[in-house]
mmCIF file of all heavy atoms in Angstrom:
data_model
loop_
_atom_site.group_PDB
_atom_site.id
_atom_site.type_symbol
_atom_site.label_atom_id
_atom_site.label_comp_id
_atom_site.label_asym_id
_atom_site.label_seq_id
_atom_site.Cartn_x
_atom_site.Cartn_y
_atom_site.Cartn_z
ATOM 1 N N ALA A 102 -5.446 23.997 56.462
ATOM 2 C CA ALA A 102 -6.311 24.842 57.306
ATOM 3 C C ALA A 102 -6.397 24.298 58.753
ATOM 4 O O ALA A 102 -6.469 25.078 59.704
ATOM 5 C CB ALA A 102 -7.690 24.952 56.741
ATOM 6 N N ILE A 103 -6.415 22.984 58.937
ATOM 7 C CA ILE A 103 -6.636 22.402 60.274
ATOM 8 C C ILE A 103 -5.789 22.988 61.387
ATOM 9 O O ILE A 103 -6.313 23.314 62.444
ATOM 10 C CB ILE A 103 -6.542 20.830 60.206
ATOM 11 C CG1 ILE A 103 -7.706 20.250 59.441
ATOM 12 C CG2 ILE A 103 -6.428 20.225 61.613
ATOM 13 C CD1 ILE A 103 -9.020 20.322 60.101
ATOM 14 N N PRO A 104 -4.503 23.197 61.174
ATOM 15 C CA PRO A 104 -3.683 23.742 62.283
ATOM 16 C C PRO A 104 -4.085 25.169 62.680
ATOM 17 O O PRO A 104 -3.706 25.654 63.768
ATOM 18 C CB PRO A 104 -2.262 23.759 61.702
ATOM 19 C CG PRO A 104 -2.258 22.769 60.579
ATOM 20 C CD PRO A 104 -3.629 22.793 60.003
ATOM 21 N N HIS A 105 -4.865 25.843 61.850
ATOM 22 C CA HIS A 105 -5.299 27.233 62.129
ATOM 23 C C HIS A 105 -6.688 27.307 62.737
ATOM 24 O O HIS A 105 -7.185 28.436 62.933
ATOM 25 C CB HIS A 105 -5.212 28.059 60.841
ATOM 26 C CG HIS A 105 -3.879 28.060 60.210
ATOM 27 N ND1 HIS A 105 -2.850 28.889 60.610
ATOM 28 C CD2 HIS A 105 -3.349 27.285 59.208
ATOM 29 C CE1 HIS A 105 -1.766 28.623 59.908
ATOM 30 N NE2 HIS A 105 -2.017 27.657 59.046
ATOM 31 N N ILE A 106 -7.302 26.187 63.007
ATOM 32 C CA ILE A 106 -8.720 26.182 63.434
ATOM 33 C C ILE A 106 -8.746 25.777 64.911
ATOM 34 O O ILE A 106 -8.264 24.679 65.304
ATOM 35 C CB ILE A 106 -9.570 25.285 62.575
ATOM 36 C CG1 ILE A 106 -9.607 25.863 61.148
ATOM 37 C CG2 ILE A 106 -10.976 25.095 63.136
ATOM 38 C CD1 ILE A 106 -10.344 25.050 60.125
ATOM 39 N N ASP A 107 -9.390 26.634 65.765
ATOM 40 C CA ASP A 107 -9.422 26.350 67.186
ATOM 41 C C ASP A 107 -10.855 26.065 67.633
ATOM 42 O O ASP A 107 -11.078 25.850 68.870
ATOM 43 C CB ASP A 107 -8.919 27.598 67.965
ATOM 44 C CG ASP A 107 -7.469 27.887 67.686
ATOM 45 O OD1 ASP A 107 -6.694 26.933 67.535
ATOM 46 O OD2 ASP A 107 -7.113 29.032 67.609
ATOM 47 N N THR A 108 -11.854 26.113 66.772
ATOM 48 C CA THR A 108 -13.233 25.920 67.153
ATOM 49 C C THR A 108 -13.553 24.416 67.290
ATOM 50 O O THR A 108 -12.802 23.555 66.909
ATOM 51 C CB THR A 108 -14.197 26.576 66.133
ATOM 52 O OG1 THR A 108 -13.899 26.073 64.846
ATOM 53 C CG2 THR A 108 -14.010 28.111 66.154
ATOM 54 N N ASP A 109 -14.751 24.170 67.834
ATOM 55 C CA ASP A 109 -15.258 22.823 68.064
ATOM 56 C C ASP A 109 -15.711 22.112 66.805
ATOM 57 O O ASP A 109 -15.760 20.860 66.767
ATOM 58 C CB ASP A 109 -16.381 22.789 69.050
ATOM 59 C CG ASP A 109 -16.063 23.506 70.336
ATOM 60 O OD1 ASP A 109 -14.968 23.231 70.901
ATOM 61 O OD2 ASP A 109 -16.909 24.248 70.870
ATOM 62 N N ARG A 110 -16.104 22.899 65.819
ATOM 63 C CA ARG A 110 -16.691 22.316 64.637
ATOM 64 C C ARG A 110 -16.208 23.116 63.402
ATOM 65 O O ARG A 110 -15.960 24.299 63.480
ATOM 66 C CB ARG A 110 -18.201 22.365 64.642
ATOM 67 C CG ARG A 110 -18.791 21.564 65.797
ATOM 68 C CD ARG A 110 -20.279 21.693 65.900
ATOM 69 N NE ARG A 110 -20.771 20.977 67.087
ATOM 70 C CZ ARG A 110 -22.002 20.581 67.280
ATOM 71 N NH1 ARG A 110 -22.891 20.890 66.380
ATOM 72 N NH2 ARG A 110 -22.304 19.898 68.354
ATOM 73 N N ILE A 111 -16.173 22.435 62.243
ATOM 74 C CA ILE A 111 -15.840 23.041 60.992
ATOM 75 C C ILE A 111 -17.025 22.745 60.034
ATOM 76 O O ILE A 111 -17.414 21.602 59.864
ATOM 77 C CB ILE A 111 -14.589 22.424 60.350
ATOM 78 C CG1 ILE A 111 -13.373 22.692 61.189
ATOM 79 C CG2 ILE A 111 -14.416 22.964 58.904
ATOM 80 C CD1 ILE A 111 -12.118 21.876 60.773
ATOM 81 N N VAL A 112 -17.530 23.819 59.440
ATOM 82 C CA VAL A 112 -18.476 23.645 58.322
ATOM 83 C C VAL A 112 -17.715 23.862 57.049
ATOM 84 O O VAL A 112 -17.087 24.925 56.837
ATOM 85 C CB VAL A 112 -19.683 24.648 58.408
ATOM 86 C CG1 VAL A 112 -20.549 24.551 57.156
ATOM 87 C CG2 VAL A 112 -20.519 24.344 59.663
ATOM 88 N N LEU A 113 -17.694 22.806 56.263
ATOM 89 C CA LEU A 113 -16.917 22.840 54.992
ATOM 90 C C LEU A 113 -17.773 23.360 53.870
ATOM 91 O O LEU A 113 -18.841 22.795 53.567
ATOM 92 C CB LEU A 113 -16.415 21.391 54.674
ATOM 93 C CG LEU A 113 -15.403 21.243 53.558
ATOM 94 C CD1 LEU A 113 -14.111 22.035 53.885
ATOM 95 C CD2 LEU A 113 -15.127 19.787 53.357
ATOM 96 N N LEU A 114 -17.273 24.426 53.196
ATOM 97 C CA LEU A 114 -17.960 25.059 52.074
ATOM 98 C C LEU A 114 -16.990 25.094 50.883
ATOM 99 O O LEU A 114 -15.818 25.227 51.047
ATOM 100 C CB LEU A 114 -18.340 26.468 52.465
ATOM 101 C CG LEU A 114 -19.269 26.621 53.696
ATOM 102 C CD1 LEU A 114 -19.217 28.033 54.252
ATOM 103 C CD2 LEU A 114 -20.688 26.247 53.296
ATOM 104 N N LEU A 115 -17.606 25.048 49.714
ATOM 105 C CA LEU A 115 -16.828 25.148 48.501
ATOM 106 C C LEU A 115 -16.855 26.565 47.929
ATOM 107 O O LEU A 115 -17.941 27.130 47.805
ATOM 108 C CB LEU A 115 -17.372 24.148 47.446
ATOM 109 C CG LEU A 115 -17.442 22.684 47.826
ATOM 110 C CD1 LEU A 115 -18.021 21.840 46.694
ATOM 111 C CD2 LEU A 115 -16.033 22.198 48.238
ATOM 112 N N GLY A 116 -15.683 27.102 47.593
ATOM 113 C CA GLY A 116 -15.619 28.444 47.078
ATOM 114 C C GLY A 116 -16.269 28.675 45.789
ATOM 115 O O GLY A 116 -16.550 29.822 45.377
ATOM 116 N N ASP A 117 -16.631 27.600 45.066
ATOM 117 C CA ASP A 117 -17.274 27.715 43.766
ATOM 118 C C ASP A 117 -18.763 27.279 43.836
ATOM 119 O O ASP A 117 -19.363 26.892 42.850
ATOM 120 C CB ASP A 117 -16.534 26.917 42.717
ATOM 121 C CG ASP A 117 -16.435 25.410 43.020
ATOM 122 O OD1 ASP A 117 -16.841 25.009 44.114
ATOM 123 O OD2 ASP A 117 -15.932 24.676 42.182
ATOM 124 N N GLN A 118 -19.345 27.372 45.056
ATOM 125 C CA GLN A 118 -20.735 26.960 45.250
ATOM 126 C C GLN A 118 -21.499 28.048 46.015
ATOM 127 O O GLN A 118 -21.885 27.851 47.147
ATOM 128 C CB GLN A 118 -20.730 25.590 45.997
ATOM 129 C CG GLN A 118 -22.016 24.843 45.894
ATOM 130 C CD GLN A 118 -21.878 23.476 46.604
ATOM 131 O OE1 GLN A 118 -21.205 23.319 47.611
ATOM 132 N NE2 GLN A 118 -22.546 22.506 46.012
ATOM 133 N N PRO A 119 -21.753 29.173 45.358
ATOM 134 C CA PRO A 119 -22.315 30.343 46.078
ATOM 135 C C PRO A 119 -23.824 30.215 46.401
ATOM 136 O O PRO A 119 -24.314 31.003 47.215
ATOM 137 C CB PRO A 119 -22.122 31.503 45.088
ATOM 138 C CG PRO A 119 -22.154 30.815 43.742
ATOM 139 C CD PRO A 119 -21.477 29.511 43.948
ATOM 140 N N LEU A 120 -24.522 29.233 45.833
ATOM 141 C CA LEU A 120 -25.962 29.157 46.040
ATOM 142 C C LEU A 120 -26.379 28.239 47.210
ATOM 143 O O LEU A 120 -27.535 27.964 47.376
ATOM 144 C CB LEU A 120 -26.667 28.679 44.735
ATOM 145 C CG LEU A 120 -26.461 29.590 43.552
ATOM 146 C CD1 LEU A 120 -27.236 29.064 42.322
ATOM 147 C CD2 LEU A 120 -26.863 31.029 43.841
ATOM 148 N N VAL A 121 -25.410 27.877 48.036
ATOM 149 C CA VAL A 121 -25.754 27.161 49.280
ATOM 150 C C VAL A 121 -26.545 28.133 50.148
ATOM 151 O O VAL A 121 -26.262 29.284 50.278
ATOM 152 C CB VAL A 121 -24.444 26.682 49.970
ATOM 153 C CG1 VAL A 121 -24.708 26.253 51.416
ATOM 154 C CG2 VAL A 121 -23.814 25.575 49.201
ATOM 155 N N SER A 122 -27.582 27.564 50.801
ATOM 156 C CA SER A 122 -28.398 28.387 51.662
ATOM 157 C C SER A 122 -27.773 28.578 53.022
ATOM 158 O O SER A 122 -27.392 27.599 53.680
ATOM 159 C CB SER A 122 -29.748 27.642 51.846
ATOM 160 O OG SER A 122 -30.419 28.112 53.003
ATOM 161 N N PRO A 123 -27.673 29.827 53.483
ATOM 162 C CA PRO A 123 -27.163 30.089 54.851
ATOM 163 C C PRO A 123 -27.992 29.341 55.926
ATOM 164 O O PRO A 123 -27.420 28.876 56.914
ATOM 165 C CB PRO A 123 -27.287 31.587 55.014
ATOM 166 C CG PRO A 123 -27.233 32.122 53.628
ATOM 167 C CD PRO A 123 -27.947 31.072 52.779
ATOM 168 N N PHE A 124 -29.278 29.193 55.674
ATOM 169 C CA PHE A 124 -30.125 28.430 56.611
ATOM 170 C C PHE A 124 -29.595 26.982 56.734
ATOM 171 O O PHE A 124 -29.509 26.422 57.824
ATOM 172 C CB PHE A 124 -31.575 28.433 56.076
ATOM 173 C CG PHE A 124 -32.505 27.610 56.879
ATOM 174 C CD1 PHE A 124 -32.925 28.013 58.146
ATOM 175 C CD2 PHE A 124 -33.027 26.442 56.380
ATOM 176 C CE1 PHE A 124 -33.828 27.261 58.928
ATOM 177 C CE2 PHE A 124 -33.913 25.626 57.103
ATOM 178 C CZ PHE A 124 -34.285 26.063 58.375
ATOM 179 N N ASP A 125 -29.271 26.354 55.592
ATOM 180 C CA ASP A 125 -28.729 25.012 55.612
ATOM 181 C C ASP A 125 -27.380 24.928 56.284
ATOM 182 O O ASP A 125 -27.063 23.947 56.958
ATOM 183 C CB ASP A 125 -28.722 24.402 54.206
ATOM 184 C CG ASP A 125 -30.091 24.243 53.638
ATOM 185 O OD1 ASP A 125 -31.065 24.015 54.428
ATOM 186 O OD2 ASP A 125 -30.288 24.317 52.393
ATOM 187 N N VAL A 126 -26.554 25.930 56.089
ATOM 188 C CA VAL A 126 -25.268 25.980 56.738
ATOM 189 C C VAL A 126 -25.445 25.988 58.240
ATOM 190 O O VAL A 126 -24.797 25.177 58.975
ATOM 191 C CB VAL A 126 -24.443 27.215 56.329
ATOM 192 C CG1 VAL A 126 -23.182 27.359 57.160
ATOM 193 C CG2 VAL A 126 -24.103 27.171 54.860
ATOM 194 N N ARG A 127 -26.361 26.785 58.746
ATOM 195 C CA ARG A 127 -26.606 26.893 60.180
ATOM 196 C C ARG A 127 -27.202 25.553 60.711
ATOM 197 O O ARG A 127 -26.872 25.104 61.774
ATOM 198 C CB ARG A 127 -27.478 28.074 60.498
ATOM 199 C CG ARG A 127 -26.726 29.402 60.336
ATOM 200 C CD ARG A 127 -27.542 30.613 60.851
ATOM 201 N NE ARG A 127 -28.774 30.886 60.082
ATOM 202 C CZ ARG A 127 -28.827 31.617 59.009
ATOM 203 N NH1 ARG A 127 -27.756 32.222 58.560
ATOM 204 N NH2 ARG A 127 -29.974 31.805 58.382
ATOM 205 N N ARG A 128 -28.071 24.946 59.935
ATOM 206 C CA ARG A 128 -28.684 23.691 60.334
ATOM 207 C C ARG A 128 -27.656 22.564 60.398
ATOM 208 O O ARG A 128 -27.655 21.815 61.387
ATOM 209 C CB ARG A 128 -29.802 23.273 59.358
ATOM 210 C CG ARG A 128 -31.063 24.089 59.534
ATOM 211 C CD ARG A 128 -32.154 23.689 58.525
ATOM 212 N NE ARG A 128 -32.489 22.324 58.655
ATOM 213 C CZ ARG A 128 -32.596 21.442 57.597
ATOM 214 N NH1 ARG A 128 -32.389 21.872 56.373
ATOM 215 N NH2 ARG A 128 -32.939 20.208 57.830
ATOM 216 N N VAL A 129 -26.809 22.458 59.403
ATOM 217 C CA VAL A 129 -25.816 21.337 59.446
ATOM 218 C C VAL A 129 -24.781 21.582 60.548
ATOM 219 O O VAL A 129 -24.317 20.661 61.177
ATOM 220 C CB VAL A 129 -25.147 21.144 58.058
ATOM 221 C CG1 VAL A 129 -24.069 22.165 57.781
ATOM 222 C CG2 VAL A 129 -24.592 19.742 57.921
ATOM 223 N N ALA A 130 -24.504 22.844 60.857
ATOM 224 C CA ALA A 130 -23.563 23.182 61.996
ATOM 225 C C ALA A 130 -24.067 22.637 63.327
ATOM 226 O O ALA A 130 -23.270 22.375 64.219
ATOM 227 C CB ALA A 130 -23.334 24.666 62.032
ATOM 228 N N LEU A 131 -25.365 22.484 63.471
ATOM 229 C CA LEU A 131 -25.966 22.019 64.732
ATOM 230 C C LEU A 131 -26.008 20.517 64.871
ATOM 231 O O LEU A 131 -26.440 20.021 65.960
ATOM 232 C CB LEU A 131 -27.368 22.625 64.881
ATOM 233 C CG LEU A 131 -27.405 24.098 64.978
ATOM 234 C CD1 LEU A 131 -28.880 24.614 64.976
ATOM 235 C CD2 LEU A 131 -26.710 24.621 66.229
ATOM 236 N N VAL A 132 -25.658 19.760 63.873
ATOM 237 C CA VAL A 132 -25.746 18.301 63.927
ATOM 238 C C VAL A 132 -24.941 17.795 65.046
ATOM 239 O O VAL A 132 -23.791 18.205 65.284
ATOM 240 C CB VAL A 132 -25.279 17.706 62.564
ATOM 241 C CG1 VAL A 132 -25.016 16.205 62.672
ATOM 242 C CG2 VAL A 132 -26.293 17.988 61.479
ATOM 243 N N ASP A 133 -25.487 16.813 65.820
ATOM 244 C CA ASP A 133 -24.778 16.269 66.975
ATOM 245 C C ASP A 133 -23.762 15.182 66.639
ATOM 246 O O ASP A 133 -22.849 14.987 67.377
ATOM 247 C CB ASP A 133 -25.784 15.701 67.980
ATOM 248 C CG ASP A 133 -26.556 16.782 68.748
ATOM 249 O OD1 ASP A 133 -25.958 17.873 68.950
ATOM 250 O OD2 ASP A 133 -27.698 16.579 69.095
ATOM 251 N N ALA A 134 -23.931 14.505 65.516
ATOM 252 C CA ALA A 134 -23.013 13.456 65.131
ATOM 253 C C ALA A 134 -21.663 14.050 64.779
ATOM 254 O O ALA A 134 -21.550 15.245 64.416
ATOM 255 C CB ALA A 134 -23.555 12.672 63.933
ATOM 256 N N PRO A 135 -20.591 13.255 64.814
ATOM 257 C CA PRO A 135 -19.253 13.755 64.457
ATOM 258 C C PRO A 135 -19.163 14.319 63.076
ATOM 259 O O PRO A 135 -18.385 15.235 62.802
ATOM 260 C CB PRO A 135 -18.371 12.591 64.631
ATOM 261 C CG PRO A 135 -19.050 11.671 65.580
ATOM 262 C CD PRO A 135 -20.535 11.872 65.311
ATOM 263 N N ILE A 136 -19.969 13.770 62.154
ATOM 264 C CA ILE A 136 -20.014 14.283 60.778
ATOM 265 C C ILE A 136 -21.488 14.535 60.396
ATOM 266 O O ILE A 136 -22.340 13.654 60.655
ATOM 267 C CB ILE A 136 -19.370 13.296 59.799
ATOM 268 C CG1 ILE A 136 -17.921 13.048 60.081
ATOM 269 C CG2 ILE A 136 -19.535 13.842 58.350
ATOM 270 C CD1 ILE A 136 -17.222 11.999 59.208
ATOM 271 N N GLY A 137 -21.742 15.658 59.761
ATOM 272 C CA GLY A 137 -23.055 15.943 59.243
ATOM 273 C C GLY A 137 -22.984 16.343 57.812
ATOM 274 O O GLY A 137 -22.018 16.954 57.375
ATOM 275 N N VAL A 138 -24.009 15.991 57.046
ATOM 276 C CA VAL A 138 -24.063 16.275 55.630
ATOM 277 C C VAL A 138 -25.483 16.622 55.210
ATOM 278 O O VAL A 138 -26.464 16.131 55.812
ATOM 279 C CB VAL A 138 -23.457 15.107 54.811
ATOM 280 C CG1 VAL A 138 -24.280 13.817 54.981
ATOM 281 C CG2 VAL A 138 -23.341 15.427 53.319
ATOM 282 N N CYS A 139 -25.617 17.394 54.161
ATOM 283 C CA CYS A 139 -26.917 17.727 53.629
ATOM 284 C C CYS A 139 -27.403 16.633 52.644
ATOM 285 O O CYS A 139 -26.666 16.217 51.807
ATOM 286 C CB CYS A 139 -26.885 19.078 52.916
ATOM 287 S SG CYS A 139 -26.618 20.485 54.016
ATOM 288 N N ARG A 140 -28.684 16.224 52.841
ATOM 289 C CA ARG A 140 -29.325 15.319 51.910
ATOM 290 C C ARG A 140 -30.354 16.122 51.088
ATOM 291 O O ARG A 140 -31.379 16.528 51.552
ATOM 292 C CB ARG A 140 -30.022 14.213 52.715
ATOM 293 C CG ARG A 140 -31.047 13.394 51.947
ATOM 294 C CD ARG A 140 -30.452 12.502 50.877
ATOM 295 N NE ARG A 140 -29.681 11.378 51.432
ATOM 296 C CZ ARG A 140 -29.062 10.507 50.646
ATOM 297 N NH1 ARG A 140 -29.107 10.600 49.337
ATOM 298 N NH2 ARG A 140 -28.374 9.492 51.224
ATOM 299 N N TYR A 141 -29.968 16.390 49.819
ATOM 300 C CA TYR A 141 -30.786 17.077 48.878
ATOM 301 C C TYR A 141 -31.683 16.073 48.132
ATOM 302 O O TYR A 141 -31.473 14.854 48.266
ATOM 303 C CB TYR A 141 -29.933 17.891 47.887
ATOM 304 C CG TYR A 141 -29.107 18.967 48.503
ATOM 305 C CD1 TYR A 141 -27.796 18.717 48.951
ATOM 306 C CD2 TYR A 141 -29.624 20.228 48.622
ATOM 307 C CE1 TYR A 141 -27.057 19.754 49.523
ATOM 308 C CE2 TYR A 141 -28.863 21.279 49.197
ATOM 309 C CZ TYR A 141 -27.594 21.008 49.626
ATOM 310 O OH TYR A 141 -26.860 22.020 50.227
ATOM 311 N N ALA A 142 -32.635 16.583 47.367
ATOM 312 C CA ALA A 142 -33.545 15.657 46.586
ATOM 313 C C ALA A 142 -32.751 14.753 45.662
ATOM 314 O O ALA A 142 -33.193 13.624 45.426
ATOM 315 C CB ALA A 142 -34.532 16.509 45.827
ATOM 316 N N ASP A 143 -31.632 15.192 45.186
ATOM 317 C CA ASP A 143 -30.870 14.378 44.194
ATOM 318 C C ASP A 143 -29.579 13.773 44.793
ATOM 319 O O ASP A 143 -28.712 13.338 44.063
ATOM 320 C CB ASP A 143 -30.542 15.214 42.961
ATOM 321 C CG ASP A 143 -29.759 16.501 43.232
ATOM 322 O OD1 ASP A 143 -29.708 16.952 44.410
ATOM 323 O OD2 ASP A 143 -29.238 17.089 42.276
ATOM 324 N N GLY A 144 -29.409 13.836 46.111
ATOM 325 C CA GLY A 144 -28.268 13.196 46.721
ATOM 326 C C GLY A 144 -27.617 14.015 47.806
ATOM 327 O O GLY A 144 -28.146 15.030 48.204
ATOM 328 N N LEU A 145 -26.477 13.543 48.284
ATOM 329 C CA LEU A 145 -25.756 14.237 49.336
ATOM 330 C C LEU A 145 -24.933 15.355 48.760
ATOM 331 O O LEU A 145 -24.504 15.258 47.602
ATOM 332 C CB LEU A 145 -24.812 13.253 50.050
ATOM 333 C CG LEU A 145 -25.440 12.061 50.763
ATOM 334 C CD1 LEU A 145 -24.374 11.136 51.311
ATOM 335 C CD2 LEU A 145 -26.378 12.519 51.848
ATOM 336 N N GLY A 146 -24.691 16.414 49.558
ATOM 337 C CA GLY A 146 -23.914 17.519 49.090
ATOM 338 C C GLY A 146 -23.497 18.432 50.203
ATOM 339 O O GLY A 146 -23.904 18.259 51.386
ATOM 340 N N HIS A 147 -22.645 19.359 49.869
ATOM 341 C CA HIS A 147 -22.146 20.385 50.817
ATOM 342 C C HIS A 147 -23.286 21.288 51.198
ATOM 343 O O HIS A 147 -24.193 21.512 50.405
ATOM 344 C CB HIS A 147 -20.998 21.179 50.171
ATOM 345 C CG HIS A 147 -19.747 20.390 50.017
ATOM 346 N ND1 HIS A 147 -18.769 20.270 50.973
ATOM 347 C CD2 HIS A 147 -19.296 19.609 48.977
ATOM 348 C CE1 HIS A 147 -17.815 19.499 50.561
ATOM 349 N NE2 HIS A 147 -18.113 19.102 49.309
#
Side-chain angles (χ1 to χ4, degrees):
I103 289 290
H105 303 278
I106 295 176
D107 298 322
T108 55
D109 304 317
R110 300 176 182 196
I111 297 169
V112 173
L113 189 62
L114 300 160
L115 302 180
D117 60 356
Q118 199 175 36
L120 300 182
V121 166
S122 160
F124 176 73
D125 293 330
V126 172
R127 289 188 294 271
R128 285 180 59 228
V129 79
L131 295 173
V132 166
D133 286 328
I136 299 175
V138 61
C139 292
R140 165 67 71 182
Y141 295 91
D143 58 344
L145 299 176
H147 290 272

